[in-house]
């Protein structure tokens, strides 16, 4: 079985001009190189299987679909969720691997344009989403109290911003007209983003209710302090 | 029941199957890059490229129909390029009356749209051929040998091992949800937000199962002597014949790109 295309964010090959694709690859490779260094520097050995299984988790979690309207269905992107659970560096790497495997195995997203796809969803959608989450949590009164509203807004924005980026990349590639594509993409993804926000919040509150310790442990496990279990 | 396998590999005996995964990966990426470089309206070059994929699929004995039809599902993205047909001004072909306003179909826009659609279609076929002829573990090993950071190689290898398990877990959860959610045809219970919340709880539950599984995996690895480093078989260097093949492919693709710009007819 194949996974339905993740909204219109997994661009296939042919849709971005070569210069745009090349620039996006360059930025993505740099960002991932930093993420690998930062994650490598404070990994404990337990983190390697954890990150691998988490990549499989994101992939499997994207299979949960729910009916929206008229036969279309929505599902999770998961960038902010993973970053909140695993931390931004590990989250970014996990998302990048998920996007790469989706392209290599299921042709869900292209190879030459993969740099752009990883940038939009893995770098901006995950790392950027996490930064937003932290800023919002601080502004709204601390991560403990404001975790859910901050995650909701960050999750919504991560999808909308990814859609804005895709629109600009397409327009700069002469593949679409920004005047038409930007409002359409942002409009559709503003709705899809609500689903992302609700799923992210429900997942976090489920985890907080059943294994609240994991909201704190998953990150130390990746930060070299070992798990307290 | 649905089991999801990362392997779309079709076991056949062919030279393409036997070739080193590094060669296949580089050739596929290069081929798609060459397609990406084609100018608007390079339909002759696209036809030639498609013929090459068809011949390669036949040589790999996977059947060209399989790659050709397998590539259609990537097309929904074409919606994103559809505005081109109406927003370009050059070479108006006709008008579509939508009562509120009229849209002018532009020949130039149509040509750009067709180029994008065909590029994407042929590219997907090439990528499909790669996954039909290369077992996933060989592909991951090729990426490792092509200097993908070892942390990412490790993540992808673990992902490959556990994806079927977790996908199975998530389809069991969806089946359980379906079993609890009787509804009349064409009706769905609850509001959209409520349904999304249900999915959120399922995601949370799946996370816990995955997390606990990763702990068991780690314990199993530790008991087998895992010390934090994943060791790989040495692997061999490319042979001179393979370097020659790589050079031929590179020369062929460069020649194709240049010819497509200079000599091939464009519409």
């Amino acid at each position: 079985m194949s996974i339905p295309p993740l909204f219109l964010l997994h661009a296939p090959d042919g849709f971005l001009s070569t210069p745009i694709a090349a620039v996006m690859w360059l930025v993505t490779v740099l960002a991932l190189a930093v993420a690998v260094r930062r994650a490598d520097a404070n990994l404990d050995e337990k983190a390697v299987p954890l990150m691998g299984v988490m990549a499989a988790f994101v992939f499997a979690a994207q299979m949960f679909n729910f009916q929206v309207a008229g036969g279309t269905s929505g599902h999770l992107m998961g960038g902010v969720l993973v970053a909140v659970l695993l931390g931004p560096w590990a989250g970014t790497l996990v998302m990048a691997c998920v996007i790469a495997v989706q392209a290599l195995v299921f042709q869900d997203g292209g190879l030459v344009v993969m740099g752009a796809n990883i940038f939009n969803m893995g770098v901006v959608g995950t790392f950027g989403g996490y930064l937003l989450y932290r800023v919002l949590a601080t502004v709204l009164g601390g991560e403990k109290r404001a975790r859910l509203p901050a995650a909701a807004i960050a999750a919504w924005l991560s999808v909308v911003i990814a859609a804005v980026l895709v629109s600009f990349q397409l327009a700069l590639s002469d593949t679409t007209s920004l005047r038409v594509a930007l409002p359409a993409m942002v409009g559709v993804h503003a709705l899809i983003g609500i689903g992302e926000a609700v799923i992210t919040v429900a997942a976090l509150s489920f985890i907080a209710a059943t294994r609240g310790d994991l909201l704190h442990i998953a990150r130390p496990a990746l930060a070299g302090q070992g798990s307290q279990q | 029941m649905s089991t999801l396998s990362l392997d779309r590999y079709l076991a056949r005996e062919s030279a393409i199957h036997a070739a080193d995964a590094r060669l296949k990966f580089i050739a596929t990426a290069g081929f798609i890059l060459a397609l990406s470089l084609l100018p608007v309206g390079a339909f002759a070059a696209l036809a030639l490229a498609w013929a090459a994929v068809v011949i390669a699929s036949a040589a790999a004995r996977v059947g060209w129909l399989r790659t050709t039809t397998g590539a259609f599902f990537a097309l929904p993205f074409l919606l994103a390029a559809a505005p081109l047909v109406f927003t370009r001004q050059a070479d108006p072909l006709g008008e579509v009356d939508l009562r509120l306003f009229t849209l002018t179909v532009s020949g130039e826009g149509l040509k750009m749209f067709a180029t994008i659609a065909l590029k994407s279609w042929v590219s997907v076929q090439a990528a499909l051929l790669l996954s039909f002829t290369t077992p996933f573990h060989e592909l991951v090993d090729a990426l490792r040998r092509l200097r993908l950071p070892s942390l990412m190689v490790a993540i992808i290898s673990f992902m490959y091992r556990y994806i079927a398990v977790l996908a199975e877990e998530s389809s069991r959860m969806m089946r359980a949800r379906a079993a609890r959610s009787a509804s009349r045809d064409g009706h769905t219970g609850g509001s959209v937000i409520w349904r999304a919340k249900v999915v959120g709880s399922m995601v949370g539950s799946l996370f816990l199962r995955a997390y606990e599984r990763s702990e068991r995996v780690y314990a199993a690895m530790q008991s087998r002597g895992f010390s934090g480093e994943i060791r790989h078989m040495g692997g061999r260097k490319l042979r001179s014949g393979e370097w020659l093949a790589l050079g031929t492919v590179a020369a062929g693709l460069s020649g194709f790109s240049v010819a497509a710009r200079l000599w091939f007819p464009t519409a």
Side-chain angles (χ1 to χ4, degrees), chain B residues 139-204:
Chain B
L139 195 58
V140 176
D141 199 52
L143 293 176
R144 178 178 72 83
R145 311 262 305 156
L146 294 170
R147 306 288 164 83
L148 183 72
S150 60
L151 181 56
M152 295 183 77
V153 173
I155 295 177
I156 293 178
S157 315
F158 275 103
M159 183 182 177
Y160 168 59
R161 289 189 180 86
Y162 291 101
I163 209 156
V165 179
L166 290 184
E168 187 70 27
E169 198 120 38
S170 74
S171 60
R172 274 206 300 276
M173 291 167 78
M174 282 195 281
R175 199 155 55 238
R177 175 184 64 178
R180 291 193 300 270
S181 323
S183 65
R184 283 185 295 143
D185 274 356
H187 292 261
T188 39
S191 65
V192 177
I193 297 291
W194 179 79
R195 288 198 292 274
K197 269 188 193 161
V198 171
V199 168
S201 298
M202 290 161 76
V203 168

Side-chain angles (χ1 to χ4, degrees), chain A residues 1 19 60 70 78-79 84 87-88 96-97 117 121-122 124 135 139 143 153 186 192-193 195 207 226 229:
Chain A
M1 70 181 285
V84 170
C97 290
N117 287 339
M121 289 179 284
V124 175
V135 169
V139 171
E143 192 174 354
I153 301 169
V186 171
I192 291 174
I207 295 163
Q229 286 191 330

Side-chain angles (χ1 to χ4, degrees), chain A residues 8 12-13 18 45-46 50-53 57 59 65 67 105-107 174-176 203 207 210-211 214 229, chain B residues 6 8 32 36 73 77 80 84 88 120 127-128 131 136 163 177 195 200 207-208 211-212 214-215 218:
Chain A
L8 284 182
D13 278 315
T18 318
E45 56 187 43
K46 193 180 172 180
L50 175 61
M51 287 165 78
V53 176
F57 155 73
F59 196 102
N65 53 356
Q67 286 191 32
V105 181
F106 299 102
Q107 284 72 48
D174 244 350
T175 300
T176 192
I207 295 163
T210 30
R211 283 285 306 269
L214 287 189
Q229 286 191 330
Chain B
L6 266 191
R8 299 181 123 198
I32 295 174
S36 168
F73 82 97
F77 208 87
L84 277 180
R88 292 280 149 171
S120 149
L128 268 173
S131 51
F136 190 71
I163 209 156
R177 175 184 64 178
R195 288 198 292 274
F207 167 78
L208 294 184
Y211 182 85
E212 282 161 6
S214 86
E215 288 188 320
Y218 173 64

Side-chain angles (χ1 to χ4, degrees), chain A residues 31-74:
Chain A
L32 291 182
V34 176
V36 166
R37 282 191 98 138
R38 293 296 296 264
D40 243 342
N42 41 23
L43 275 186
D44 75 0
E45 56 187 43
K46 193 180 172 180
V48 175
L50 175 61
M51 287 165 78
V53 176
M54 283 302 135
F57 155 73
V58 171
F59 196 102
Q62 290 184 350
M63 290 172 65
F64 291 131
N65 53 356
F66 61 100
Q67 286 191 32
V68 178
T72 59
S73 61

